[in-house]
């Protein structure tokens, strides 16, 4: 009887510990980098979700906030800007154009840094991209990409390091649209 009680007490402690670790998994543990406003893709309502994202790949719900006003946004035309092919069982993306639109829907050509980001993305992202946008606020660049992965709809947020010329994945959501960002982390 005593062994059974000790066994169940130990089992309960292990289960509670695992639950605590799972809940802690998406908490901010690194340096906060960015606040994002998202909405559910393909939904009619305008419900927004507010997150703070850190440099270690974690995101946490946060209070509502106002997006930065002076954000430059470039939405690539993924049908003409990227060509996706499968070669020897591996997905290969090729940059084929640099025309897209801004947040107001005006047609624009990517600036030099955005072209550089698009080239890096084409060379490093190993899935078909069906939405691709570059968001610049206060000289920092963020990339939001929707990937075509079978029946899933991963939406990945990256930070672009202009000095190292590399993308770092910050966080991934399922079926979301990026609405706004804020670099004001307080």
């Amino acid at each position: 009887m005593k062994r059974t009680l000790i066994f169940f007490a130990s089992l309960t402690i292990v289960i509670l510990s695992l639950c605590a670790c799972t809940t802690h998994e998406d908490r901010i543990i690194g340096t906060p980098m960015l606040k994002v406003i998202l909405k559910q893709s393909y939904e009619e309502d305008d419900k927004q979700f507010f997150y703070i994202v850190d440099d270690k790949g974690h995101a946490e719900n946060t209070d509502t906030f106002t997006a930065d006003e002076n954000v430059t946004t470039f939405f690539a035309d993924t049908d003409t800007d990227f060509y996706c092919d499968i070669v020897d069982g591996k997905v290969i993306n090729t940059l084929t154009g640099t025309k897209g639109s801004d947040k107001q829907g005006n047609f624009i050509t990517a600036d030099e840094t955005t072209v550089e980001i698009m080239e890096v993305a084409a060379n490093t992202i190993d899935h078909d991209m069906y939405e691709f946008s570059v968001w610049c606020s206060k000289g920092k660049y963020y990339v939001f990409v929707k990937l075509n992965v079978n029946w899933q709809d991963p939406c990945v947020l990256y930070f672009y390091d202009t000095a190292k010329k590399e993308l770092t994945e910050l966080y991934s959501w399922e079926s979301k649209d990026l609405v706004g960002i804020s670099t004001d982390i307080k």
Side-chain angles (χ1 to χ4, degrees):
M1 175 77 168
K2 189 174 183 179
R3 284 186 181 179
T4 305
L5 185 59
I6 292 173
F7 171 76
F8 282 114
S10 299
L11 184 62
T12 302
I13 290 170
V14 169
I15 291 171
L16 290 174
S17 297
L18 289 174
C19 289
C21 289
T22 303
T23 346
H24 185 69
E25 186 175 58
D26 284 340
R27 296 194 182 232
I28 298 299
I29 61 171
T31 304
M33 289 188 70
L34 183 71
K35 290 181 179 178
V36 296
I37 304 171
L38 303 168
K39 73 178 208 88
Q40 192 69 35
S41 297
Y42 318 112
E43 294 291 325
E44 295 298 321
D45 68 21
D46 290 330
K47 181 179 179 188
Q48 295 181 334
F49 305 90
F50 299 85
Y51 292 92
I52 187 165
V53 181
D54 73 11
D55 63 345
K56 302 286 187 204
H58 299 89
E60 182 175 66
N61 290 322
T62 190
D63 295 330
T64 61
F65 61 89
T66 303
D68 291 348
E69 290 182 19
N70 296 322
V71 175
T72 304
T73 310
F74 175 85
F75 296 94
D77 180 352
T78 53
D79 291 333
T80 59
D81 288 344
F82 295 99
Y83 173 72
C84 181
D85 196 14
I86 298 177
V87 178
D88 296 328
K90 183 177 178 186
V91 175
I92 305 294
N93 286 303
T94 306
L95 183 63
T96 56
T98 57
K99 296 194 187 303
S101 60
D102 62 14
K103 208 165 190 174
Q104 291 75 35
N106 302 315
F107 292 105
I108 57 174
T109 300
D111 63 22
E112 185 178 327
T113 304
T114 302
V115 171
E116 181 180 283
I117 292 168
M118 294 171 78
E119 288 173 351
V120 170
N123 293 330
T124 58
I125 295 175
D126 59 357
H127 288 288
D128 182 23
M129 299 177 279
Y130 73 91
E131 283 187 25
F132 184 95
S133 57
V134 176
W135 301 65
C136 180
S137 180
K138 300 176 184 170
K140 294 187 179 189
Y141 289 85
Y142 301 91
V143 180
F144 193 73
V145 182
K146 288 189 176 185
L147 302 173
N148 182 9
V149 183
N150 299 325
W151 293 99
Q152 299 173 342
D153 186 21
C155 305
V156 185
L157 177 66
Y158 296 92
F159 170 72
Y160 183 70
D161 186 324
T162 54
K164 294 180 182 177
K165 298 187 185 316
E166 64 184 28
L167 289 170
T168 302
E169 183 176 330
L170 295 177
Y171 199 76
S172 178
W173 292 271
E174 185 70 25
S175 299
K176 297 283 191 267
D177 292 328
L178 183 58
V179 176
I181 65 171
S182 175
T183 54
D184 185 21
I185 308 295
K186 291 183 182 178

